Amino acid sequence: MTRTALGAGAITIIPRHVMGGSGYRSPGDLITLGYIGTGKQSLGLLRSINSCQETIVLAASDVDRKKLDRFKNLAEQANSDKLTGGSQPVDTYENYRELLERKDIDAVVIASPDHWHGMMAVDAARAGKDIYCEKPLALTVDEGRAMVFAAKKYSRVCQTGNMQRSWRNFRHACEMVYNGYLGEVKEINVSIGDPVMACELPAQPKPEYLNWDLWVGPSMFRNYHHDLSPPIEYDGWPMWRRYRDFGGGSITDWGAHMFDIGQWALGMDRSGPVEFIPPEVRSNRGMKMVYASGVVMNHTDWGEFNAVQFIGSEGKIEVSRGFYRSDIEGLTEKELESGDEPLYRSDNHYQDWIDAIRKRTRPVSDVEAGHRTASLCNIVNIAYTLERPLKWSPAHERFIDDDDADSLLGRPFRGTWEINTF
């Protein structure tokens, strides 16, 4: 698929006297990075992005001093391993906007909780930084559109963390669907967890090492609870992702992966469903997403968890991170034929981002595709909340004749916080 070139952007060159030592890569090959958010997800991203030899970490930001110090140590070790005799310190900041002020940082990796994604990405684009933003791209539809607008206005490369697009089995499954090897696609069944819920956690004493007010940031204030921002000793995933104002439940957390595969297979990276139909009886499953073509994508427990099932007139494909299968013999290994249209091929989601920065092109999960998937997830949560069918205009990104539903496409910001693309 064709990738449209973006505007030219300068890439920082680190001088030799800064790097020190010998035996390292040519400084002109290095893209300088800052990390925003240094919790559990950032550690995996550091390992993965550090494997891209053209990168080096210069700075990191977090409101949790302990997590920030841990990341600093790991990133400096990663820098040293890469430079082979050289070194590069990693500076730390509590406020991410101080990191963005640095002219020597080319790109940022945003791994903060979801309620920060929109503001941080818009600020980063305005500061001239290319962006890797974890999925789901945005907490609300309006914030996602602001991110798309900012990336376009400031000619920034933005990769969304929908890394399944860079995995062979998911890409191949989508290519088989996209090129008609299932016949006429009738349904897509997606098995993931629950919608978003209200946060009713009790208040707990705030740790001294955590700037809780800045953690809450633009969201409506609520008191600290360790489930939202657990201490560094906890090795699990923080549960802010379950709660409204901070995350979107499993609908956005896993839906950003699995609904994304449905979107990609249908060629909907610039569009989406036109109707959202919740179950008639209140339930955490049963949402139907209807496309203009008549294809229905269902949020349903179809027998496998965190998995996607495509059903066509000629057969079916089922895919997850643990399996890839079809009832059509040989389909999972089939090569595309002459006249078929391959989907964008990326074999490494992080290298694909770095290559796009170099070439000034769109990566495999660019900001618009990430926004459209996140929008679908966010609208599913709105429909579950309102418990009634909603008609949606993908072109205008508004509900049809439904002001009450439209009011949920954004959210109020606290105090003086605002997203400003200018």
Side-chain angles (χ1 to χ4, degrees):
M1 299 180 73
T2 303
R3 314 308 290 179
T4 303
L6 301 171
I11 302 297
T12 301
I13 295 178
I14 300 181
R16 289 181 180 274
H17 73 272
V18 173
M19 306 307 294
S22 60
Y24 48 85
R25 293 178 60 87
S26 169
D29 290 340
L30 298 174
I31 293 174
T32 56
L33 302 178
Y35 279 71
I36 302 175
T38 60
K40 181 179 175 67
Q41 183 65 12
S42 74
L43 306 184
L45 289 172
L46 176 64
R47 289 190 295 271
S48 296
I49 298 175
N50 185 63
S51 69
C52 306
Q53 291 303 309
E54 308 97 309
T55 65
I56 199 79
V57 183
L58 297 191
S61 171
D62 203 297
V63 298
D64 184 317
R65 291 200 305 273
K66 290 186 177 181
K67 292 174 183 175
L68 189 56
D69 288 343
R70 174 185 63 185
F71 185 90
K72 172 183 171 67
N73 292 334
L74 292 171
E76 288 182 342
Q77 182 59 57
N79 286 345
S80 296
D81 291 346
K82 180 174 290 184
L83 298 174
T84 315
S87 63
Q88 173 58 52
V90 173
D91 297 323
T92 59
Y93 304 90
E94 182 178 73
N95 192 320
Y96 75 95
R97 286 177 171 166
E98 294 182 62
L99 182 152
L100 293 180
E101 290 174 358
R102 290 185 51 161
K103 304 300 183 185
D104 58 346
I105 292 178
D106 297 318
V108 294
V109 178
I110 299 174
S112 61
D114 297 354
H115 69 287
W116 268 113
H117 285 185
M119 192 168 295
M120 287 175 171
V122 168
D123 286 345
R126 192 171 61 250
K129 315 302 182 190
D130 294 315
I131 301 159
Y132 184 102
C133 186
E134 260 306 334
K135 60 81 206 166
L137 189 71
L139 187 67
T140 70
V141 174
D142 287 349
E143 288 169 61
R145 179 47 63 191
M147 295 166 77
V148 175
F149 179 80
K152 182 177 181 180
K153 177 177 180 177
Y154 299 106
S155 300
R156 295 298 94 200
V157 173
C158 182
Q159 176 86 297
T160 312
N162 300 117
M163 74 282 191
Q164 290 178 170
R165 291 196 178 206
S166 296
W167 295 12
R168 184 268 175 189
N169 287 352
F170 285 104
R171 180 180 64 250
H172 188 270
C174 290
E175 286 180 325
M176 293 298 101
V177 174
Y178 188 74
N179 286 285
Y181 285 98
L182 289 187
E184 181 184 355
V185 178
K186 299 179 180 297
E187 284 189 293
I188 304 172
N189 293 318
V190 177
S191 177
I192 55 172
D194 293 345
V196 69
M197 65 176 66
C199 185
E200 299 177 349
L201 296 170
Q204 294 179 337
K206 178 188 73 67
E208 58 82 22
Y209 56 81
L210 175 67
N211 184 333
W212 180 246
D213 184 71
L214 194 54
W215 188 96
V216 175
S219 290
M220 295 296 103
F221 188 81
R222 63 150 290 115
N223 288 314
Y224 171 81
H225 188 282
H226 59 67
D227 281 5
L228 300 175
S229 183
I232 196 170
E233 294 79 15
Y234 177 69
D235 190 43
W237 295 105
M239 287 298 103
W240 53 259
R241 63 198 66 232
R242 288 180 178 172
Y243 301 114
R244 186 173 288 110
D245 293 332
F246 304 123
S250 289
I251 294 297
T252 61
D253 190 42
W254 272 96
H257 287 306
M258 298 305 174
F259 289 139
D260 184 63
I261 294 305
Q263 282 274 105
W264 200 23
L266 296 179
M268 288 286 113
D269 277 358
R270 267 60 188 160
S271 189
V274 297
E275 191 171 6
F276 294 77
I277 306 173
E280 292 184 4
V281 178
R282 183 179 178 86
S283 173
N284 287 332
R285 302 291 188 280
M287 183 67 63
K288 296 181 181 296
M289 293 142 271
V290 184
Y291 290 86
S293 64
V295 175
V296 178
M297 184 152 64
N298 301 298
H299 173 219
T300 181
D301 294 333
W302 58 268
E304 300 284 359
F305 193 57
N306 288 339
V308 183
Q309 181 187 61
F310 297 95
I311 300 176
S313 58
E314 302 299 322
K316 64 186 178 183
I317 287 177
E318 299 173 347
V319 62
S320 76
R321 297 184 180 182
F323 60 80
Y324 179 36
R325 61 201 183 207
S326 174
D327 59 359
I328 300 176
E329 185 176 357
L331 189 64
T332 60
E333 300 301 324
K334 182 175 179 57
E335 299 289 338
L336 291 177
E337 297 178 0
S338 176
D340 288 339
E341 184 176 353
L343 297 177
Y344 182 108
R345 176 165 181 166
S346 160
D347 296 317
N348 182 316
H349 206 61
Y350 316 99
Q351 188 65 54
D352 181 65
W353 176 51
I354 298 302
D355 291 344
I357 290 175
R358 289 286 190 198
K359 298 173 184 176
R360 311 312 299 169
T361 55
R362 289 204 305 262
V364 65
S365 187
D366 76 293
V367 64
E368 179 74 33
H371 164 59
R372 292 293 183 166
T373 290
S375 291
L376 183 154
C377 298
N378 288 325
I379 297 168
V380 167
N381 272 328
I382 291 172
Y384 271 122
T385 298
L386 295 179
E387 300 183 49
R388 57 181 172 80
L390 300 171
K391 293 187 181 297
W392 176 250
S393 169
H396 299 97
E397 293 188 307
R398 286 293 179 267
F399 295 104
I400 297 174
D401 299 326
D402 197 329
D403 292 342
D404 289 341
D406 278 345
S407 70
L408 301 179
L409 294 174
R411 59 176 172 140
F413 288 157
R414 182 168 65 107
T416 60
W417 293 104
E418 62 178 350
I419 290 182
N420 183 0
T421 58
F422 299 97

